[in-house]
Amino acid sequence: MKIYFEDSCLRTPKLKESFYYIVDAASGVSSNIALLDELLERQKDCVVYTNSLIVFSSRYAWDAEIYIRNKDGEFTNITSVTSRYSTEGLNLARLYIAGEFRV
């Protein structure tokens, strides 16, 4: 799964991929989890554009490439914006809220 995270309202993204799924936080947590679970089960190589912190759960994020929009409006892989070594138990949502990702 490739995840593009937007820290605001979803807008027209400039992605390399022409097809992606939108998971909008405004749809609610239960709806987001249901859609992400379905994608994880049926289309593991899909692309997701979202503003939902749910995607930082290790359930979805562990085997995913995650990108965050930086100040210049470009998406940056989270591995290049943190000094932490990624482990499976790492709480990415908490790190994001604490400002760990320098974007």
Side-chain angles (χ1 to χ4, degrees):
M1 187 178 288
K2 188 180 279 190
I3 299 169
Y4 291 92
F5 179 78
E6 184 81 63
D7 185 20
S8 66
C9 296
L10 295 178
R11 55 186 182 208
T12 304
K14 296 175 184 171
L15 306 180
K16 296 175 188 174
E17 296 80 10
S18 59
F19 182 80
Y20 51 88
Y21 291 93
I22 295 174
V23 179
D24 192 346
S27 299
V29 174
S30 297
S31 175
N32 289 180
I33 290 172
L35 178 53
L36 288 166
D37 282 349
E38 183 176 335
L39 292 174
L40 190 63
E41 182 180 323
R42 296 178 188 208
Q43 297 183 25
K44 291 185 181 203
D45 60 342
C46 68
V47 177
V48 174
Y49 176 59
T50 186
N51 59 354
S52 175
L53 285 174
I54 297 296
V55 296
F56 287 120
S57 162
S58 60
R59 180 178 190 159
Y60 311 110
W62 182 242
D63 288 327
E65 290 179 57
I66 303 176
Y67 297 86
I68 298 175
R69 190 181 299 273
N70 63 25
K71 296 174 189 167
D72 300 326
E74 301 297 322
F75 283 100
T76 305
N77 192 302
I78 63 168
T79 58
S80 65
V81 293
T82 184
S83 58
R84 301 216 182 206
Y85 179 74
S86 182
T87 60
E88 191 168 359
L90 194 62
N91 188 330
L92 295 176
R94 183 171 286 171
L95 292 176
Y96 179 76
I97 291 168
E100 176 68 26
F101 304 118
R102 300 173 304 275
V103 288

